[in-house]
Each structure stands twice: as C-alpha cells, then as structure tokens.
Amino acid sequence: MVIGAGIAGLSAAIRLATAGSVLVVTKEELAESNTAYAQGGIAVAMGGDEDVALHLEDTIAAGDGLVNRDAAAMLVEQGPKRVEELLAWGTAFDREDGELLRTREGAHSLSRILHANGDATGREIAVSLLRHAREMAAEGGRIELMEWATSVDLLVEDGRVVGATLLDGEGGLRVVRSNAVLLASGGAGQVYSDTTNPAVATGDGIAMAYRAGAAVSDMEFYQFHPTAFSAAGAPRFLLSEALRGEGAYLVNVKGERFMERYHPLLELAPRDVVARAITSEGMDGPVYLDMRHVKKDLHARFPGISGFLAKHHLELARDLVPVRPAAHYFMGGVTTDVHGRTTLPGLYAAGEVACTGVHGANRLASNSLLEGLVFGALAAETMIVERNSPNTSHRSDAVPAEANGSTSEAVTERWIAELRAMMWKYAGLLRDGDGLHEAKRQLEALAVTKPRGISRRAIEARNLHIVAELIVAAALGRKESRGAHYRSDFPMHDASAKHSIMHEGKLRFVA
C-alpha cells in the first residue's frame, strides 16, 4: 500500500507492481501533489564522475553541517540512472540542439538542472509516471489507483503496521489491510499561513506515523522559499529559483541590489540566506525581483510564471515583481534510513514526508524531485525484499462512523486559520524563545477545541496540530541557528552538529 501519488509514491508503486499487487491511495485526484507544483527542475549530475562528486559536495555544503553523507551519496550517484528511466518512460525534458538543456540554481557549482516546459518540470514528471503506471495497469500490471481517499490512521498489530484506515470519497470509513505501507504523502506547508504548497500538504503522513509510534527527525527545519509572489489578495505563487539562475536581481524599495551585504554568491546564495536577507530588507518596504536587464525570451523560458503574472498585469521583462518568503519544503519528517525503513516495522517512507538526513538543515535547490525519485525506488526495492508474506492481496473492511458528533466546517476552517497564522508569527522564518513558548501555549489552548469528527478537514486539522507541536518542540530544543532554523536569541552555531529526534513525546539530539 502506497499513500501518496507524487514522484516518490509513483516511482515506488511502479517497482512494487513487478513483485505483487500495490494499492496507491491519494486524497484528491492523482495529478494533485507537491510534485506537480515543482517549477524549478530536477538536479541531476549527468556530466560524469566529477559532476557527481561536485553535486555531493554542493548538497553537503547547503545542508549546513547536518547532511547524512551516505544518503547524499546515494542521491547523487543513483540520480542519473533514475532520470534515464524517466526519459525511457517518455518524460520530455527541455532540449537545445537535441541535447538536454541544463541550467544553474543557487548554491550549485555547475549547471545541472533539467527542466520541462520551461517551468513545469514537476507536472511533466508526474504526468509521465502516472501514464506509465496506468499503462502497466492496462496491460495487467497489479496497480490499483484510488483517488479521493483520505488516510485517517495506520493500523498497527503486534507492533507492526498492517494497513490503514481510509475515509473514502463517499464519506465512509474503511480499513484496508496490506503487508506493508509506504508513506509518500508529501510535506506540510499548510501548517503556515504563507506557503507555496497546495492545499493537500497537511502533514498527514508525519502525523499518522507519529501517532502510530514512529520516530520523527529534524522537525525544526522548514525551508522558506525566498521568492513567493507578494501582492495583496494574491496567492503566494512560487517564483522559481531558476529566475535568479537566469540572472534576476533582488532589489529593495530604493531600487538597490542588496545581496552583496549578505553572501558572496549574491542572488544565488543558499535559500535560507536569501530568505532572511529579503525579510531584513523588507522591514523598510517591498522587495522585488528584477529581470528587466536579462536579454532573453522570458515568456518562452518561464511560460507558467509569465501566465500567472499576466493575470496581475505584470511582465518579467518589463516590471519589478514583488516577492517575500513563504513556507516551501520540509527537511524534517518520519525518521528513515536510506532504504526507506522507519522505526516501526512494516512502515516505510520516502520523499518529503521522510527524513533520511539527505538535506541536512537546508535543502539544495532542485534536489527535492530527485529525492522522491531515488528514495521512492529504494524503498520499493526494500519492501519487496522484506515483505512479510508472499500474499499481497488487500482486504477492505467497512467500519462504523463515530457517534460523538462533528465540528462544523466553518468552525474547523477558523480553527485551522488560527493555527496557521500563529505558526507563521511565532515559528516561522525568524524565531526566538519567547515566541516559541507562546506558540506552545497557544497550541495547548487549540488542543482543547480541536475539531471533532471524520470529515477530511477535521482529520487534516488534527494532523496539522500534531505537526505544529512537533515543529515547536524541536525548535525550542535547538538552542542555536543552523540552516533554515534561525533563532535571534541563539544566532550562532552550536559547536556540535546534531539531529533532533522526537519519539513518544520525548525529544533528544543525536550526532
């Protein structure tokens, strides 16, 4: 059973179907995932051994002392092979004179980012994986795809995960049993009021795993993308780092470039540095992306971004575009090894929901799609080897609904909005002890009025609350600043780099 149909989930499901039947569950339509919203590209070292070695060092440098070197080595070494598979399955990356077009993004030492349709890379990959999965199913492959099913909780028997409870599209609860479960449910950007993530990213996999008894790691490290569109009443639409890779400047309200005051790599500095610089400059007024000097067909290079901006009467080649940071990517998640094993037998995790340590404290640009592709495949290979039983049939049993009433949708939405605003204010890009303690206090108060019932939004509300509690607890425990975690009351690095681990309500730090 695979929960999630993004790049990690489909990459795994395609492999699992070669060894048995696999059920892929997603709470909206199959095309709706964080993968589909990834604009910038997929980082992959297609240039040989030297490129692979440099990709590894770039990943480690961006992670600010916390990258698991073994996981990062697995990522960059297996990346080219997995991308070749995507090409074989029909993924149409952009080309120039017949060769794959490679661009550069922040903190990369070489141009190694592949794109599709300019700024729609994630959607192209998601479409090609889904097409391949459906072709396998049509040809008798053992893949079942279930849309509009919200995962409620994992089923644990004798200390092992043996399935999950689902809320189906008709509002009925079902227990689905399987010999192993892979969480590939993505991130939790909706825990913050300002986010580039779609509405489905509510931390469901992390919350379910933690409730079931699995450990989670590095929950304090949420990456805030530096450049989300910032205009009153408009969504926080992602303005890809590839814009800066193509030469965009960042300018303050005076029209001055300012990144030279913050980092020698200027606009291509690591994301945490750029995000804090924009926040600092934004104290005095708006911050803008400026591409007016770039001599290139920007509409052709960035058709999706150009189309969005046109709705707001802006053009990349003509206008300054207002930006500010927004929650973007979770480096933390369910604790796993490089083969997708969690601390709970029968439960595996891959992609953004998982924490292998591959990103450390700060993800390198465009490593996220590669993570899902590589570690989804590795998790599937491990599941096949370790499957608990040769039988892979799924039994689905209806279960009775709760009888204690449900919170109204309007009240649930207000509760979620209050939590998200509080997290942005006290546990967002800039943190301190007083604010984090206030966040903890407010989360305790919100627990008393937590939405009841089995509606999708009530389930998501409870999951967001757990994720928020885990983020705040880990952020309070880390009394230093590192990567995406910045505390103004502890601005310096601790002498020793350690990972945080939360398990059954207890926080510890390990090297």
Side-chain angles (χ1 to χ4, degrees):
M1 183 178 184
V2 176
I3 297 176
I7 190 169
L10 290 176
S11 177
I14 287 167
R15 283 162 180 81
L16 290 169
T18 65
S21 64
V22 56
L23 172 66
V24 180
V25 177
T26 181
K27 67 179 175 180
E28 287 198 1
E29 61 184 1
L30 286 159
E32 184 70 5
S33 67
N34 265 4
T35 296
Y37 287 81
Q39 297 174 349
I42 182 168
V44 59
M46 305 289 279
D49 291 345
E50 182 179 357
D51 193 4
V52 169
L54 286 172
H55 191 184
L56 175 60
E57 295 310 315
D58 291 346
T59 298
I60 290 171
D64 202 7
L66 277 185
V67 169
N68 176 339
R69 191 178 186 94
D70 290 341
M74 197 85 78
L75 177 81
V76 302
E77 290 167 5
Q78 295 206 9
K81 177 173 65 174
R82 298 307 182 198
V83 169
E84 291 289 355
E85 287 178 340
L86 286 180
L87 291 168
W89 295 339
T91 306
F93 291 114
D94 294 338
R95 294 177 181 267
E96 191 171 68
D97 299 325
E99 298 295 323
L100 289 170
L101 181 63
R102 304 172 192 173
T103 60
R104 185 179 175 192
E105 294 181 7
H108 283 273
S109 57
L110 295 174
S111 296
R112 62 169 70 92
I113 317 300
L114 304 182
H115 298 88
N117 303 314
D119 55 5
T121 312
R123 187 162 296 280
E124 171 63 19
I125 292 173
V127 166
S128 66
L129 285 171
L130 185 55
R131 180 176 60 241
H132 187 64
R134 282 175 166 155
E135 287 172 354
M136 291 180 70
E139 295 169 1
R142 292 172 288 183
I143 297 182
E144 181 182 352
L145 305 171
M146 181 186 292
E147 297 178 303
W148 305 103
T150 300
S151 300
V152 180
D153 266 313
L154 297 169
L155 183 63
V156 182
E157 294 178 356
D158 299 323
R160 181 181 181 87
V161 173
V162 293
T165 305
L166 306 177
L167 177 67
D168 64 29
E170 285 72 47
L173 278 176
R174 293 197 163 271
V175 170
V176 180
R177 304 180 70 87
S178 63
N179 60 31
V181 174
L182 173 67
L183 294 174
S185 50
Q190 291 293 319
V191 78
Y192 291 105
S193 56
D194 280 28
T195 182
T196 64
N197 284 196
V200 294
T202 51
D204 303 332
I206 295 171
M208 287 193 303
Y210 190 75
R211 281 196 299 266
V216 298
S217 297
D218 294 344
M219 294 292 289
E220 64 271 40
F221 294 116
Y222 214 112
Q223 186 175 74
F224 295 82
H225 198 287
T227 52
F229 184 67
S230 178
R236 294 291 166 258
F237 184 80
L238 176 66
L239 297 174
S240 169
E241 190 155 340
L243 295 168
R244 284 174 282 135
E246 294 288 357
Y249 296 154
L250 288 167
V251 299
N252 59 24
V253 70
K254 299 176 183 177
E256 304 168 334
R257 289 182 71 185
F258 54 81
M259 280 307 302
E260 64 181 7
R261 298 199 294 271
Y262 298 92
H263 199 279
L265 288 177
L266 306 178
E267 282 84 1
L268 293 181
R271 285 180 173 177
D272 63 307
V273 176
V274 179
R276 287 194 294 273
I278 291 173
T279 301
S280 179
E281 295 290 324
M283 299 294 184
D284 299 319
V287 171
Y288 302 95
L289 269 175
D290 184 1
M291 298 196 79
R292 296 174 299 177
H293 59 286
V294 177
K295 306 304 180 185
K296 181 175 285 193
D297 186 344
L298 296 175
H299 188 275
R301 174 65 179 86
F302 301 105
I305 292 173
S306 296
F308 171 83
L309 292 177
K311 296 175 184 177
H312 298 274
H313 311 292
L314 295 170
E315 291 184 16
L316 287 171
R318 183 191 68 198
D319 300 302
L320 294 173
V321 179
V323 295
R324 72 181 186 191
H328 184 57
Y329 191 87
F330 216 166
M331 277 79 73
V334 182
T335 307
T336 67
D337 63 14
V338 296
H339 299 286
R341 302 181 189 94
T342 72
T343 60
L344 197 56
L347 181 66
Y348 302 78
E352 192 175 355
V353 69
C355 182
T356 61
V358 71
H359 303 304
N362 192 42
R363 176 176 67 85
L364 180 66
S366 289
N367 266 358
S368 55
L369 288 174
L370 192 68
E371 176 195 17
L373 190 65
V374 168
F375 289 104
L378 286 168
E381 291 169 358
T382 307
M383 292 169 74
I384 291 169
V385 171
E386 297 180 349
R387 58 184 174 177
N388 194 39
S389 161
N391 300 315
T392 54
S393 60
H394 307 203
R395 193 174 82 242
S396 177
D397 302 314
V399 297
E402 292 182 4
N404 61 346
S406 298
T407 304
S408 73
E409 184 175 340
V411 171
T412 299
E413 291 299 338
R414 286 197 297 271
W415 187 95
I416 290 173
E418 183 178 348
L419 180 144
R420 298 179 71 207
M422 180 277 297
M423 285 295 289
W424 180 259
K425 181 176 182 179
Y426 296 117
L429 181 60
L430 302 177
R431 303 164 175 175
D432 61 36
D434 290 344
L436 290 168
H437 279 294
E438 177 60 20
K440 182 179 179 182
R441 186 194 69 76
Q442 291 196 26
L443 284 168
E444 290 170 351
L446 284 167
V448 177
T449 58
K450 195 182 303 180
R452 302 186 310 277
I454 57 166
S455 70
R456 169 175 158 175
R457 283 305 267 166
I459 292 164
E460 289 177 332
R462 296 194 289 269
N463 291 339
L464 286 168
H465 188 264
I466 286 178
V467 171
E469 287 184 316
L470 292 169
I471 291 173
V472 169
L476 270 169
R478 186 172 292 280
K479 294 179 171 59
E480 64 160 347
S481 291
R482 185 181 296 275
H485 170 75
Y486 185 83
R487 284 188 58 165
S488 58
D489 50 347
F490 292 99
M492 305 300 292
H493 271 77
D494 191 286
S496 59
K498 294 183 177 180
H499 296 274
S500 67
I501 296 179
M502 288 283 293
H503 185 226
E504 296 180 341
K506 297 178 180 178
L507 173 67
R508 59 192 176 96
F509 287 86
V510 299

